[in-house]
């Protein structure tokens, strides 16, 4: 297949660094991510499962991502099936298809990937073949997908995956019926098997992140992905209790990795990947109990190697000058703050715990430390929202612009991003409907008109948010709508350039489901909910109490260090916080005296499937190989230090090169023969 005919050919090249290929495993698993390669490879969950499954001697895991629109058309035209990256095997030849459900708008892509793989879309039509199991946050409401998925796994899969694979291995060995396998799976804690499970099925979670498996040899893509760095999960769960946040409810309790374990993971992953950036990830990274000591220790270990550190969105109250100094030690990137609501009153409704003076202190710290890029995220259509809550959003943005001018004396990049509120299952707002899209459009237009031109403005497509609300709150009747939209070509609906609302309008006419009415519908407090077959661990009584407190504008305190809020999990406050030492004692990583840099010219060839790499992808791939080989680069100065490397003229994508050249500056002593072998080994 000539990949030059497709956009981003590097999506379809296998043999990335650190992949695993096994010969004749007893159980073969296709890890299916219903989105493009650059999204799927950025997801930490699929990397963790890939690592765990391939560590089991009798099992193998292979990756399958949604093909781009052009590749999909090619497969259909030539009657070809979707296949795995590792061995180019059609997914209907695997024993298990594990589907990651991260976003409701990926549901039609799930159906299309099954169809493209030769797997019947309806589970009742599957008499044999692979068993289809779905996991991820969307499984807390499996109702819209129950006609299509054999089994759902609810919660953390690190421990359960080996139990599931053992059952599949026994099923194959005994040549047992699929019905017997489904019945056995229904006995696994956390598994919901439609038609077999006794409900409600309780979510499964691990209690110790230090004991949980974590990939130390991350796969290194050839193409740039969304999160193109080493990602280390420093904690899981959140106790802030934001009432709109599904993740904050369904990932409870809060569990932390120790700083020592985090640094160990980062060190090994950097050595084996060649990345030069690490991101510490969690739902609320600013709440990690030993964050500042961890950042200081990280910089002492890795700043000499020019390894930069990034953090996701940080809550307003956690932004301090000390924190910012550590983040910018090697490289200063953009900064993201998510106020969500712009007034103290509305923040008390959502339980987003910060005050206006904390926001001002955060801005002072940020711009006094020289930051020039800031993103502010807000939600509109929140319960009890008033006109003054909307008016306050531009005021918060103007305050950021004014503070930036005070400290930087220059133009800064400030972006305001607006997303409509989507009610989610297993949250205090699960009984409420979404605000009418016409009213939301008016609010967006008003906010846009109130912002200075120097502030960038972005808003989420309201039609996509409408669908998200329908699929989030949907019962089994929504499955008919999904099927109808899929038949009309809905695919990769999470991408604005691929989103086709016309498919859904036609599906709405066919099924009689009114999207607006469905999204805006309130559920009675005492009635049954479509997702009641799932027990997230957070009890309905607690969610009802939180809804009442929200409508009364009452705060609920974080239970980490204080009084238990009685959510139903039964854990003790702070039970799973890091047990690491209070202070990390680490040696300084000093390079000592440096000799005058020397220039080295390197000759290399670009052949085979790697001829499909773009010039940027080629340079990134080579630099990461050099880092894995330990090449002592000389770096540029400034906010974004880069290796001093110059490549020759770029070749067109698809053109092989037998004698290509690059020049690099390195510190001596530099043994040419030694490093030639080290680099070639990588």
């Amino acid at each position: 297949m000539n990949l030059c005919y497709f956009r981003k050919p590097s999506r379809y090249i296998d043999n990335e660094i650190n992949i695993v290929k096994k010969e004749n495993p007893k159980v073969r698993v296709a890890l299916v991510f219903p989105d493009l390669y650059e999204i799927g490879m950025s997801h930490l969950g699929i990397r963790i499962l890939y690592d765990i499954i391939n560590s089991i001697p009798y099992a193998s895991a292979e990756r399958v991502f949604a093909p781009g629109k052009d590749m999909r058309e090619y497969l259909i035209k030539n009657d070809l099936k979707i296949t795995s990256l590792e061995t180019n095997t059609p997914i209907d030849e695997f024993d298990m298809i594990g589907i990651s459900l991260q976003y409701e708008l990926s549901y039609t892509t799930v159906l299309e990937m099954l169809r493209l793989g030769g797997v019947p879309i309806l589970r009742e039509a599957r008499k044999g073949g692979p068993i289809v199991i779905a996991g991820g946050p969307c499984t807390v409401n499996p109702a819209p997908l129950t006609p299509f998925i054999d089994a759902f796994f609810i919660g953390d899969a690190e421990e359960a995956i080996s139990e599931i694979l053992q059952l599949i291995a026994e099923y194959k060995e005994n040549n047992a019926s699929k019905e017997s396998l489904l019945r056995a799976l229904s006995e696994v804690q956390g598994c919901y098997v439609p038609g077999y499970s006794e409900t409600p099925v309780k979510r499964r979670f691990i209690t110790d992140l230090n004991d949980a498996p974590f990939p130390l040899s991350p796969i290194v893509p050839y193409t740039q992905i969304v999160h193109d760095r080493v990602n280390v999960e420093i904690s899981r769960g959140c106790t802030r209790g934001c009432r709109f946040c599904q993740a904050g409810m369904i990932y409870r309790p809060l569990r932390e990795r120790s700083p020592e374990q985090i640094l160990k993971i980062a060190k090994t992953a950097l050595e084996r990947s060649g990345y030069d950036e690490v991101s510490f990830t969690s739902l609320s990274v600013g709440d990690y109990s030993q964050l500042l000591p961890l950042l200081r220790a990280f910089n002492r270990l890795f700043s000499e190697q020019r390894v930069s550190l990034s953090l996701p969105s940080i809550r307003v109250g956690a932004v301090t000058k000390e924190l910012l100094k550590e983040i910018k030690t090697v490289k200063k990137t953009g900064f993201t703050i998510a106020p969500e609501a712009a007034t103290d009153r509305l923040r008390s409704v959502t339980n987003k715990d910060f005050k206006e003076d904390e926001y001002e202190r955060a801005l002072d710290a940020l711009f006094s430390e020289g930051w020039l890029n800031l993103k502010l995220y807000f939600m509109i259509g929140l319960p009890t929202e008033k006109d003054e809550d909307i008016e306050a959003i531009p005021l918060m943005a103007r305050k950021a612009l004014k503070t930036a001018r005070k400290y930087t004396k220059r133009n800064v990049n400030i972006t305001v991003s607006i997303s409509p509120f989507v009610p989610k299952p297993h949250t205090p707002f699960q009984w409420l409907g979404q605000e009418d899209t016409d009213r939301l459009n008016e609010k967006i237009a008003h906010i846009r008109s109130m912002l200075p031109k120097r502030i960038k403005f972005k808003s989420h497509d309201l039609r996509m948010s409408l669908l998200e609300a329908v699929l989030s709150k949907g019962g089994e009747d929504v499955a008919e709508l999904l099927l109808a939209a899929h038949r009309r070509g809905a695919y990769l609906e999470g991408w604005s350039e691929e989103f086709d609302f016309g498919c859904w309008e036609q599906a709405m006419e066919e099924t009689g489901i009114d999207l607006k009415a469905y999204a805006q519908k309130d559920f009675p407090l005492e009635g049954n909910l479509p997702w009641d077959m799932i027990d997230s661990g957070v009890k309905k009584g607690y969610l009802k109490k939180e809804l009442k407190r929200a409508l009364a504008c009452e705060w609920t305190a974080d239970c980490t260090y204080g009084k238990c809020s009685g959510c139903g999990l039964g854990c003790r406050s702070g039970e799973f916080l890091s047990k690491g030492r209070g202070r990390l004692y680490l040696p300084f990583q000093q390079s000592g005296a440096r000799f005058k840099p020397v220039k080295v010219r390197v000759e290399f060839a670009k052949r085979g499937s790697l001829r499909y790499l773009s010039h940027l992808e080629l340079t990134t791939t080579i630099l990461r190989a050099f880092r894995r080989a330990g090449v002592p680069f000389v770096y540029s100065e400034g906010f974004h230090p880069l290796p001093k490397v110059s490549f020759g003229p770029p070749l067109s994508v698809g053109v092989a090169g037998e004698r290509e050249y690059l020049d690099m500056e390195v510190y001596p002593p530099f043994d040419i023969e030694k490093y030639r072998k080290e680099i070639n080994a990588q």
Side-chain angles (χ1 to χ4, degrees), residues 223-238:
T223 190
Q224 184 176 11
I225 61 176
V226 174
H227 301 301
D228 208 6
R229 59 186 76 96
V230 169
N231 292 298
V232 183
E233 184 186 30
I234 65 173
S235 67
R236 189 176 299 178
C238 179

Side-chain angles (χ1 to χ4, degrees), residues 1-32:
M1 183 188 299
N2 188 344
L3 295 179
C4 285
Y5 293 117
F6 306 104
R7 184 185 177 192
K8 282 203 176 180
S10 45
R11 288 171 176 164
Y12 312 108
I13 299 174
D14 65 346
N15 285 321
E16 304 105 313
I17 296 297
N18 296 326
I19 67 164
V20 179
K21 294 186 180 183
K22 291 187 176 182
E23 291 187 10
N24 302 317
K26 184 186 294 184
V27 178
R28 301 183 70 193
V29 179
L31 292 176
V32 171

Side-chain angles (χ1 to χ4, degrees), residues 9 42 86 115 180 191 214 223 228 230 290 292 327 378 388 445 528 590 621:
S42 298
E86 278 75 4
R115 189 188 73 81
S180 64
C191 268
F214 198 86
T223 190
D228 208 6
V230 169
Q290 300 186 63
L292 199 54
I327 295 173
F378 295 93
E388 51 263 37
N528 292 326
Q590 294 179 332
T621 297

Side-chain angles (χ1 to χ4, degrees), residues 192-205:
Y192 168 61
V193 184
Y196 294 90
S197 292
E198 292 185 10
T199 57
V201 171
K202 193 164 187 177
R203 175 179 66 95
R204 186 165 175 171
F205 64 88

Side-chain angles (χ1 to χ4, degrees), residues 105 433-437 462-474 477-478 480-482 484-485 493 499-521:
L105 289 190
Q434 188 180 48
E435 189 169 20
D436 180 70
T437 51
L462 294 183
R463 299 169 303 171
M464 296 171 76
S465 296
L466 173 68
L467 279 176
E468 186 182 345
V470 171
L471 298 174
S472 294
K473 300 175 62 177
D477 54 332
V478 172
E480 188 181 354
L481 179 76
L482 268 174
E493 295 292 86
F499 180 68
D500 184 358
F501 193 63
C503 294
W504 296 93
E505 289 177 319
Q506 294 172 28
M508 185 168 56
E509 290 179 11
E510 179 184 332
T511 60
I513 294 177
D514 185 332
L515 295 177
K516 281 192 174 183
Y518 210 109
Q520 295 169 22
K521 179 177 65 176

Side-chain angles (χ1 to χ4, degrees), residues 19 77 118 257 328 502 542 635:
I19 67 164
K77 181 179 178 181
R257 270 194 175 88
K328 71 174 186 178
Y542 167 78
Y635 283 83

Side-chain angles (χ1 to χ4, degrees), residues 595-609:
F595 293 98
K596 186 178 179 180
V598 296
K599 287 186 177 180
V600 176
R601 176 157 291 174
V602 179
E603 179 188 293
F604 65 94
K606 183 178 78 161
R607 308 187 187 110
S609 61

